[in-house]
């Protein structure tokens, strides 16, 4: 896909938005020209212990706390860290993986990467060398008719304190101007790669998941403004992707900046990290997804709205999902607000293994997949997290597809509230869970 075609946006539609649309949305995305259908290549350039526990296993139970890429390199030292990560970069995403993803009917990959690949500092333990491997993955994507979004997943000081920002702990991104400047330097580095591979890289995410509870939202928006200007001078045709900073959909209008063109709002929908979702029954998960559809559909008239991360997990039982050596809310092995398991006797045994799922569970997972695809395509599409994992099948798109638990291609839906008619979705109102 190249960025395709003009979207006719009528004056009436513009007038109906709560805020002015940021100039006509003049380009489209996705190989089919309608929506993004993709997966994340997580765990490649930003380590997460739960995705690749084999890389962290030697420190399980150790006094040496290795919990993220920062501590991975700090404990190993740069030479050994470089050696191990080089092997990892060569093997975690292969051309066979990319070819498989294309064969599943997807049209995009989202590639997370940390600031340290583009804006290194002697004060940080990270190592470099990612860029040749990033370009190799991009070239494979192009070869197999996929497009790519490059996602700045971690910034100096950490934008959220999560291990997936590169450094677990505090939220220090806005505490020093140098952090902001280096983040812009990283965005510009990504933009140069996007410009070099403009026929493949159609968008740049300027920061992943900035946490509103530890940051100034006005400061986040100021960063978005600066990033927009900086990378557009290098890659003028690339779409800018901004995250919703975990704000309520009622507050998304703050990101609709007058004068912006070709901007995607990225939102992430998981059902396992907050009590109201984790404690739901199966039909409630499906019904809640229909509510998510209303949010993305409603804002998609102002900024293209893409669900950049989602999964089929309904428990947080994946090993180390909540952090290295941490347990799960589901079975009460992680301290949380319920002070115990989700329900008496709740167990993590078999929760993340397709082999352990009975037919009722498998049917639900397929329904859950289709309901989420329906929901997020009422906006501008989706990226599943993740393309694969070492052990958590409910987060592993390739494995789910192999077992028929996600539709292949994604339009081949059985339980959908939509029907595909001449390459266009038309709503059908016989869904058990979603009602117009």
């Amino acid at each position: 896909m190249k960025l395709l075609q003009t979207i006719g946006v009528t004056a009436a539609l513009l007038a109906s938005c709560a805020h002015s649309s940021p100039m006509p949305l003049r380009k489209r995305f996705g190989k089919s020209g309608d929506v993004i259908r993709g997966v994340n290549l997580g765990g490649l350039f930003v380590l997460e212990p739960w995705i690749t526990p084999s890389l962290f296993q030697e420190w399980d139970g150790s006094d040496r706390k290795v919990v993220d890429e920062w501590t991975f390199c700090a404990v190993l030292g740069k030479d050994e860290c470089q050696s191990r990560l080089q092997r990892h970069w060569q093997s975690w995403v292969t051309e066979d993986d990319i070819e498989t993803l294309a064969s599943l009917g997807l049209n995009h990959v989202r590639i997370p990467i940390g600031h340290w690949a583009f804006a290194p500092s002697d004060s940080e333990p990270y190592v470099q060398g990612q860029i040749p491997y990033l370009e190799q993955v991009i070239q494979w994507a192009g070869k197999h008719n996929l497009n790519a979004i490059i996602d700045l997943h971690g910034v100096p000081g950490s934008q959220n304190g999560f291990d997936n920002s590169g450094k677990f702990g505090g939220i220090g991104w806005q505490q020093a101007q140098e952090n902001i400047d280096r983040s812009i330097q990283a965005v510009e580095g990504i933009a140069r790669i996007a410009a070099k591979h403009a026929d493949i890289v159609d968008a740049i995410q300027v920061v992943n998941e900035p946490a509103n509870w530890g940051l100034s939202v006005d400061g986040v928006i100021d960063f978005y403004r600066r990033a927009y200007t900086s990378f557009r001078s290098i890659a003028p045709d690339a779409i800018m992707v901004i995250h919703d900073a975990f704000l309520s959909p009622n507050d998304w209008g703050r990101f609709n900046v007058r004068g912006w063109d070709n901007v995607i709002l990225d939102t992430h929908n998981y059902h396992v990290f907050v009590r109201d979702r984790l404690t739901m029954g199966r039909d409630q998960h499906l019904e809640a997804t229909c509510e998510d559809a209303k949010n993305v559909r409603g804002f998609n008239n102002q900024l293209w709205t893409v669900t950049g991360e989602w999964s089929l997990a309904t428990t947080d039982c994946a090993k180390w999902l909540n952090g290295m050596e941490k347990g799960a809310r589901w079975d009460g092995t992680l301290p949380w607000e319920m002070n115990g398991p989700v329900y008496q006797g709740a167990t993590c045994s078999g929760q993340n293994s397709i082999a352990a799922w009975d037919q009722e569970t498998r049917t639900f997972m397929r329904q859950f997949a289709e309901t989420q695809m329906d929901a997020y395509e009422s906006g501008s599409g989706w990226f599943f997290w993740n393309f694969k994992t070492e052990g958590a099948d409910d987060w592993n798109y390739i494995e789910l597809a192999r077992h028929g638990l996600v539709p292949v291609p994604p339009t081949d839906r059985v339980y959908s509230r939509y029907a595909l008619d001449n390459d266009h979705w038309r709503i059908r109102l016989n869904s058990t869970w979603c009602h117009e």
Side-chain angles (χ1 to χ4, degrees), residues 146-168:
L146 298 173
N147 278 95
I149 290 178
I150 306 176
D151 155 42
L152 185 57
H153 215 68
V155 292
S158 181
Q159 72 277 21
N160 52 36
F162 302 156
D163 57 10
N164 60 48
S165 71
K167 187 178 183 183
F168 174 80

Side-chain angles (χ1 to χ4, degrees), residues 273-341:
F273 296 118
V274 294
R275 178 174 178 168
D276 65 343
R277 292 283 171 115
L278 187 62
T279 55
M280 287 177 173
R282 288 177 173 175
D283 279 356
Q284 290 175 308
H285 283 294
L286 300 172
E287 291 163 0
T289 299
C290 298
E291 292 302 309
D292 295 334
K294 294 178 184 177
N295 294 329
V296 298
R297 182 171 65 237
F299 199 70
N300 199 59
N301 289 332
Q302 296 185 48
L303 295 177
W304 290 321
T305 306
V306 171
T307 302
E309 297 184 19
W310 61 282
S311 77
L312 294 192
T314 56
T315 77
D316 62 336
C317 286
K319 180 180 179 180
W320 300 337
L321 177 65
N322 295 304
M324 180 72 175
E325 296 186 316
K326 294 183 178 180
R329 300 168 187 83
W330 182 260
D331 64 359
T333 55
L334 179 76
W336 72 308
E337 61 189 280
M338 286 188 69
N339 296 314

Side-chain angles (χ1 to χ4, degrees), residues 146-224:
L146 298 173
N147 278 95
I149 290 178
I150 306 176
D151 155 42
L152 185 57
H153 215 68
V155 292
S158 181
Q159 72 277 21
N160 52 36
F162 302 156
D163 57 10
N164 60 48
S165 71
K167 187 178 183 183
F168 174 80
I171 303 174
W173 181 40
Q174 292 179 341
Q175 293 177 7
Q177 184 60 42
E178 179 188 5
N179 293 341
I180 304 300
D181 294 342
R182 290 177 60 215
S183 300
I184 294 296
Q185 183 182 345
V187 168
E188 291 173 347
I190 292 172
R192 283 187 282 274
I193 290 176
K196 182 178 178 181
H197 303 281
D199 58 333
I200 305 168
V201 179
D202 55 3
I204 298 167
Q205 181 147 7
V206 296
V207 64
N208 178 66
E209 293 188 340
N212 71 74
W213 55 87
L215 299 169
S216 158
V217 176
D218 287 340
V220 172
I221 295 170
D222 286 345
F223 173 77
Y224 290 163

Side-chain angles (χ1 to χ4, degrees), residues 17-129:
C17 297
H19 299 273
S20 295
S21 194
M23 301 182 64
L25 300 179
R26 57 183 172 80
K27 294 178 180 176
R28 300 197 69 168
F29 35 76
K31 292 291 183 184
S32 61
D34 54 356
V35 295
I36 289 172
R37 300 183 178 104
V39 294
N40 286 274
L41 303 184
L44 177 58
F45 299 123
V46 181
L47 298 184
E48 297 187 44
W50 75 272
I51 296 177
T52 53
S54 64
L55 292 177
F56 292 82
Q57 191 64 49
E58 68 185 87
W59 295 290
D60 188 12
S62 169
D63 292 336
R64 307 177 81 184
K65 296 301 180 185
V66 177
V67 300
D68 50 27
E69 189 153 339
W70 177 289
T71 50
F72 184 87
C73 289
V75 167
L76 290 174
K78 289 207 171 187
D79 288 346
E80 181 61 19
C81 183
Q82 185 83 56
S83 177
R84 293 193 189 191
L85 287 183
Q86 204 111 26
R87 292 194 297 271
H88 174 66
W89 299 332
Q90 290 169 349
S91 61
W92 182 239
V93 175
T94 66
E95 184 174 0
D96 284 347
D97 291 325
I98 299 300
E99 185 174 14
T100 296
L101 296 172
S103 75
L104 298 179
L106 302 173
N107 58 37
H108 270 78
V109 290
R110 179 174 179 252
I111 310 174
I113 195 165
H115 72 272
W116 51 93
F118 303 94
S121 169
D122 290 340
S123 66
E124 297 173 341
Y126 301 119
V127 298
Q128 287 69 55

Side-chain angles (χ1 to χ4, degrees), residues 361-381:
T361 300
R362 294 178 184 222
T363 297
F364 164 72
M365 288 297 185
R366 176 66 182 245
Q367 292 170 339
F368 194 28
E370 292 193 18
T371 301
Q372 289 192 81
M373 290 177 178
D374 282 357
Y376 310 145
E377 289 181 17
S378 69
S380 291

